[in-house]
Amino acid sequence: MSDPRPIGVFDSGIGGLTVVKALRELLPNEDIFYLGDTARVPYGGKSATTVERYSLEMADMLLEENVKLVVTACNSASAVALGRLEQTLSVPVIGVIKPGAQAAVAATRSQHVGVIGTRATIKSGAYERELRALNPDINVTARACPLLVPLIEEGWLDDGLTDHVIARYLGPLTQEGVDTLVLGCTHYPLLADAIGRFLAGKAKLVDSAHTCAKAVEQLLDRHSLRASRGGAASLQVALTDAPDTFLAVARRALQLEIGEVQLREVLHRAPATAR
Ligand code: DGL
């Protein structure tokens, strides 16, 4: 059995291309349809209700593209909307939080894990819940790092100011003795070098993009959804607003072959009461 339909991937914007990069490396035969909600990025500072609604809308749009599986390549969306997506969608859905938590539990020796992400992700407590479900004795120190996304979008990946901000956010975590740090935001793998320099071997980095790609591979196998084609598969990228400079930053940093970017209008759902 094989299934030639594309894997659908969505993110609040361009950052989820880090997951696409990992998927391309691990599953080169699979077509990918990527949808970035650039009209409404960032999700990380918005309420859970709004992020959930946006996520359902992005998933609806991916289903219109006949995808066989939905990858929620956004930590903020995975943190607050995965449950609703699992209940509602007609295809399997996967987020980035559980794979990241599994990798962190496997990596830590001191049983003290640090997690960094957007405000929405950290406020949701989703990483703590997943980590403690895997190991009830684990100690978790989580910290929102809202200034990192704009610095990355500006392309300041190797910059003194970014290093300073990293030191300010991560200093307390290293002082508390975390030995493993989860990059709980799809943008952060672009700062892996800078964060690694700051940590100087004191903590291992867990990148949710790679662990998510591995989980997608397992899910495809479990549902017999793998494509059987030989040779290179296609990558389509669609955005809800015109591409900005961050697409160029991501293209360069990730060395991804992205053809012409398509534009899609958001398919709106009625708003629910705010949480
Ligand atoms: N994609 C988001 C995440 O992984 C980061 C950008 C945003 O705040 O929307 O949390």
Side-chain angles (χ1 to χ4, degrees):
M1 279 267 287
S2 80
D3 192 326
R5 289 176 297 165
I7 295 174
V9 180
F10 84 88
D11 177 39
S12 55
I14 309 282
L17 288 173
T18 54
V19 177
V20 169
K21 171 81 177 172
L23 284 170
R24 289 269 317 137
E25 282 166 7
L26 193 67
L27 301 164
N29 296 334
E30 298 289 342
D31 285 345
I32 296 177
F33 189 96
Y34 179 88
L35 181 62
D37 196 5
T38 46
R40 303 185 293 189
V41 69
Y43 285 8
K46 298 196 169 79
S47 73
T49 312
T50 298
V51 174
E52 187 178 274
R53 176 164 52 88
Y54 287 1
S55 303
L56 290 165
E57 289 170 348
M58 290 299 104
D60 285 347
M61 290 165 69
L62 285 177
L63 293 180
E64 293 279 309
E65 304 295 334
N66 194 29
V67 301
K68 60 184 169 187
L69 181 132
V70 168
V71 182
T72 307
C74 172
N75 283 261
S76 305
S78 300
V80 303
L82 195 67
R84 268 302 292 287
L85 290 167
E86 282 170 345
Q87 281 164 13
T88 336
L89 299 193
S90 53
V91 298
V93 54
I94 188 164
V96 281
I97 306 250
K98 196 177 200 157
Q102 283 167 338
V105 166
T108 183
R109 293 288 160 266
S110 67
Q111 311 307 322
H112 192 172
V113 170
V115 180
I116 54 173
T118 64
R119 285 207 169 97
T121 299
I122 300 304
K123 192 169 155 220
S124 75
Y127 272 105
E128 280 98 324
R129 273 195 302 282
E130 285 297 344
L131 287 161
R132 296 222 169 90
L134 294 164
N135 177 355
D137 298 326
I138 211 149
N139 191 358
V140 184
T141 304
R143 172 132 211 211
C145 304
L147 290 178
L148 293 185
V149 165
L151 288 167
I152 295 165
E153 299 214 336
E154 203 55 39
W156 293 8
L157 308 180
D158 191 8
D159 186 283
L161 183 65
T162 306
D163 289 345
H164 194 71
V165 174
I166 289 171
R168 180 107 173 231
Y169 281 138
L170 298 190
L173 271 78
T174 50
Q175 272 158 26
E176 281 192 35
V178 306
D179 77 340
T180 301
L181 181 69
V182 181
L183 301 180
C185 172
T186 41
H187 280 57
Y188 297 172
L190 296 174
L191 280 186
D193 288 349
I195 293 175
R197 268 198 308 276
F198 173 77
L199 293 175
K202 283 189 221 110
K204 281 169 268 182
L205 286 187
V206 169
D207 163 351
S208 53
H210 279 99
T211 50
C212 177
K214 287 205 187 98
V216 169
E217 184 180 39
Q218 287 162 8
L219 199 63
L220 288 176
D221 286 340
R222 202 171 330 131
H223 292 269
S224 305
L225 288 173
R226 282 228 197 201
S228 61
R229 93 171 51 69
S234 72
L235 167 61
Q236 290 188 72
V237 174
L239 303 176
T240 55
D241 199 359
D244 62 7
T245 49
F246 184 45
L247 183 61
V249 172
R251 250 190 186 130
R252 213 174 30 247
L254 296 170
Q255 308 214 321
L256 257 183
E257 281 296 321
I258 301 168
E260 204 173 314
V261 174
Q262 305 168 34
L263 269 186
R264 288 285 190 284
E265 208 160 306
V266 174
L267 298 175
H268 289 287
R269 286 186 171 219
T273 328
R275 264 195 268 137

